[in-house]
Amino acid sequence: MPGSWPPHELPNLTENNCVETSPQHFGYNCIAWAAGDNTRWWWPIPVRGINYWPKGVPRQETLDAFALAFATRGFAECADGSLEAGIEKIAIFAKRIGISLIPTHAAFQLESGQWSSKLGTFEDISHVTLDAVNGPLYGEAVRFMSRPRPAVR
Amino acid sequence: MPSISWVDQCRAEAPVVQLDHRWVVTDDQEQRYEYAELVGPVQGHRLVFSRLVEQQHELGVFVGTGFFACALASPEVSLEHRGGDEFVFSRLVAEWRKERGATSSTSDIVLCYAYQAIIGMGQKAVPIILAQLESEGDNPDQWFWALQALTRANPVVEEDEGNYRKMARAWLNWAARNGYAW
């Protein structure tokens, strides 16, 4: 296994389908990383003074709130994660708990068509397919968003 | 600390237990070590004991591997011993980082049992957390929830929310201004 994350949480990641792209860091998470921010931890908890969450977006762990958070960075909902020239896509992952889908993770698509994820407090990786990070921790990709690919992230 | 006059070094997976006013540990080779008094845990895989030699207490260090989880679970190795709070904290930090795994959810991260146990240590945890935060330098971990819960303060300005490096600086400055020593 290429990184230091617990393998049982991400059982589909192997040396053959992912590459570590930056070392472990506590200071940002997957949501920030997908939004293009590697300086802050994004998460919508109601207590102030803990995390970043875009102003005006409900501090709720719902897919709609996460989509609104990404919308503040220019993303709009799209159909799927297929590669399109000049378009940057993100995938929002969720896990079913009872009747709710709870957001757990986000990844963004590289120009190559592969995906990039920050794994909690662990490393950033690039992974060949989205389902490489499917599993008991993140569930699966349930919503896609896109924006014009920026010259610099 | 007074001078150390002996060192016992072994591999011991068994717990350190208190029997009839003696501290006893048996290593993996069935060698039995007995001590008079537990003085306290110190950094690393070490416990400081005294041993009675001709009615005199001589301090020494028991150096082992693998016994710490057992020692922590043993109520006899209790928190009131010198160095105990830092010892327990360091164990809980290790447990917390293992328990939280690769989640990005702050809710899940702070609801980990070990993190809650750190908050449960109460006010004595505050200087230990501050020392930990300072020691982490430019890559601070998520101590802010615990600090807020314990102090009921929030010195982080809105524009720095989520930037842990700036938040750590704000907390350390606030703590210094408010008389905390760590």
Side-chain angles (χ1 to χ4, degrees), chain A residues 4-114:
Chain A
S4 56
W5 55 85
H8 66 277
E9 291 188 336
L10 296 154
N12 297 327
L13 284 178
T14 69
E15 288 176 352
N16 297 324
N17 66 13
C18 76
V19 174
E20 182 183 325
T21 48
S22 72
Q24 183 170 12
H25 201 281
F26 294 143
Y28 61 98
N29 64 351
C30 59
I31 309 302
W33 183 238
D37 180 357
N38 65 353
T39 64
R40 292 181 289 198
W41 192 281
W42 289 36
W43 201 261
I45 58 168
V47 178
R48 302 307 302 260
I50 307 289
N51 289 332
Y52 174 75
W53 197 243
K55 216 179 244 183
V57 177
R59 290 176 171 259
Q60 297 167 354
E61 293 184 10
T62 63
L63 283 169
D64 286 344
F66 277 61
L68 286 171
F70 283 117
T72 66
R73 296 300 185 271
F75 289 97
E77 294 207 30
C78 66
D80 57 36
S82 57
L83 183 63
E84 295 179 45
I87 300 295
E88 181 182 66
K89 291 188 176 180
I90 59 169
I92 305 175
F93 286 67
K95 199 162 66 171
R96 184 168 292 285
I97 298 178
I99 58 167
S100 303
L101 277 173
I102 305 298
T104 54
H105 179 67
F108 75 89
Q109 193 175 39
L110 300 163
E111 282 187 270
S112 64
Q114 294 197 7

Side-chain angles (χ1 to χ4, degrees), chain A residues 5-6 9-10 24-27 29-31 39-43 45 47-52 55 59 61 104 118-122 137-138, chain B residues 97-109 136 138-142 144-146 148 154 156 158-164 167 171:
Chain A
W5 55 85
E9 291 188 336
L10 296 154
Q24 183 170 12
H25 201 281
F26 294 143
N29 64 351
C30 59
I31 309 302
T39 64
R40 292 181 289 198
W41 192 281
W42 289 36
W43 201 261
I45 58 168
V47 178
R48 302 307 302 260
I50 307 289
N51 289 332
Y52 174 75
K55 216 179 244 183
R59 290 176 171 259
E61 293 184 10
T104 54
K118 171 77 160 66
L119 304 176
T121 56
F122 293 100
L137 184 64
Y138 296 153
Chain B
R97 287 178 173 160
K98 189 174 174 189
E99 190 183 350
R100 71 186 179 187
T103 184
S104 274
S105 163
T106 299
S107 316
D108 291 344
I109 287 169
E136 291 169 351
D138 284 342
N139 191 16
D141 211 337
Q142 300 193 30
F144 313 107
W145 181 287
Q148 272 204 33
N154 175 19
V156 176
E158 187 178 341
E159 58 263 32
D160 290 344
E161 285 182 339
N163 184 321
Y164 291 168
M167 290 168 64
W171 270 104

Side-chain angles (χ1 to χ4, degrees), chain B residues 54-76:
Chain B
E54 296 176 354
Q55 307 302 315
Q56 299 292 315
H57 281 271
E58 289 185 352
L59 278 182
V61 182
F62 178 89
V63 184
T65 56
F67 65 87
F68 274 90
C70 301
L72 184 62
S74 168
E76 292 82 5

